[in-house]
Amino acid sequence: MTMQATALKEDLFQYLVDNFSSDDEFLKQLLIDAQLHNIPQISISPEQARFIQFILKSINAKYVLEIGTLAGYSAIAMARALPDDGNLITVELEQKHYEFAKLKIEEAGLSNKIEIIHHKALDFLKDFQPDHNFDFIFLDADKSNYHKYVNLIDKYVRSGGIISADNAFAFGFVTQSAPERNPNDIKSIKSFNDFMRQKYFSTIAPVGDGLLLSLKY
Ligand SMILES: C[S@@+](CC[C@H](N)C(=O)[O-])C[C@H]1O[C@@H](n2cnc3c(N)ncnc32)[C@H](O)[C@@H]1O
């Protein structure tokens, strides 16, 4: 017999968002301002951010690396779950996103905790030599390069640290063999899920569009 998971119907989803969200007035306003600046509305969701905050606190994370800043929503949410002497590096390619996020990080009073890098992630990581290991890596950018990011950063993830990636359900298309939307991205995500499952102890948490979590021993 198959055990069926409880389907996340609208009322249950709303219950989750209403009660277990990372949002406050500042983050809500950030999303409104980002929209006014024509920044795409593709930040992680509030309940997903709370889930990541929970993981960060559970593993006593101090050092986080994020690829893909956008408006700074996830970076700010994650930084808030770090201790006072914690540090988060976030890498963003687009000038407009970088400038917007930098301002928001300052407004949030987190410039001492968050370092935002304006760079193409692959070029940045090729030369990156951090003076500490990372507890948590969050990949949320160009899907086709995730394998390369992991290969470059793996040696800087501490034992017991976690590598995570958003959109593990590929916008809902992960099970489809001929998806009509973003077929290349979906192919990349599927292949990345397989790669991570084989390389690390991994799972997908069904929050947002699926959050891949891989544990480094
Ligand atoms: C899904 S959004 C990130 C959302 C953000 N993590 C959040 O939840 O608030 C993806 C971001 O990655 C950036 N990006 C795409 N390719 C990149 C690359 N090669 N290097 C760095 N950033 C990149 C995009 O410009 C965009 O801002």
Side-chain angles (χ1 to χ4, degrees), residues 3-177:
M3 294 289 288
Q4 288 288 327
T6 300
L8 200 55
K9 289 180 294 185
E10 213 168 300
D11 59 329
L12 295 183
F13 176 69
Q14 203 51 52
Y15 171 81
L16 179 66
V17 175
D18 288 347
N19 294 285
F20 300 93
S21 150
S22 66
D23 263 4
D24 63 0
E25 286 313 310
F26 182 86
L27 285 175
K28 282 183 187 153
Q29 190 61 45
L30 180 151
L31 294 178
I32 295 168
D33 293 347
Q35 194 177 0
L36 292 174
H37 282 75
N38 291 320
I39 291 178
Q41 294 177 272
I42 49 174
S43 304
I44 56 168
S45 56
E47 77 285 0
Q48 211 177 359
R50 169 49 63 98
F51 186 81
I52 294 175
Q53 288 179 326
F54 184 92
I55 303 260
L56 293 175
K57 285 181 180 284
S58 307
I59 63 167
N60 290 319
K62 186 171 172 186
Y63 296 114
V64 173
L65 172 68
E66 174 182 64
I67 306 297
T69 317
L70 191 68
Y73 181 92
S74 53
I76 290 170
M78 288 193 284
R80 285 174 169 178
L82 303 181
D84 289 345
D85 60 347
N87 180 265
L88 181 147
I89 296 175
T90 181
V91 186
E92 175 56 51
L93 174 67
E94 292 286 338
Q95 174 90 20
K96 182 170 152 183
H97 301 175
Y98 164 79
E99 281 172 9
F100 181 91
K102 195 167 165 47
L103 268 178
K104 287 296 169 191
I105 289 163
E106 276 163 25
E107 277 178 30
L110 287 168
S111 302
N112 59 335
K113 243 188 199 181
I114 302 179
E115 189 182 346
I116 176 164
I117 311 273
H118 182 212
H119 228 295
K120 195 172 171 188
L122 196 56
D123 295 343
F124 170 75
L125 291 179
K126 275 180 185 158
D127 296 331
F128 190 41
Q129 291 186 322
D131 54 12
H132 56 73
N133 282 343
F134 287 93
D135 303 293
F136 191 84
I137 310 282
F138 183 48
L139 304 177
D140 194 16
D142 49 336
K143 314 297 177 202
S144 59
N145 279 320
Y146 282 10
H147 297 77
K148 290 180 189 159
Y149 298 157
V150 168
N151 286 334
L152 286 165
I153 204 67
D154 172 82
K155 60 179 177 287
Y156 297 122
V157 180
R158 70 144 157 106
S159 169
I162 291 172
I163 302 174
S164 176
D166 192 21
N167 304 111
F169 288 154
F171 321 105
F173 293 107
V174 76
T175 56
Q176 296 193 13
S177 51

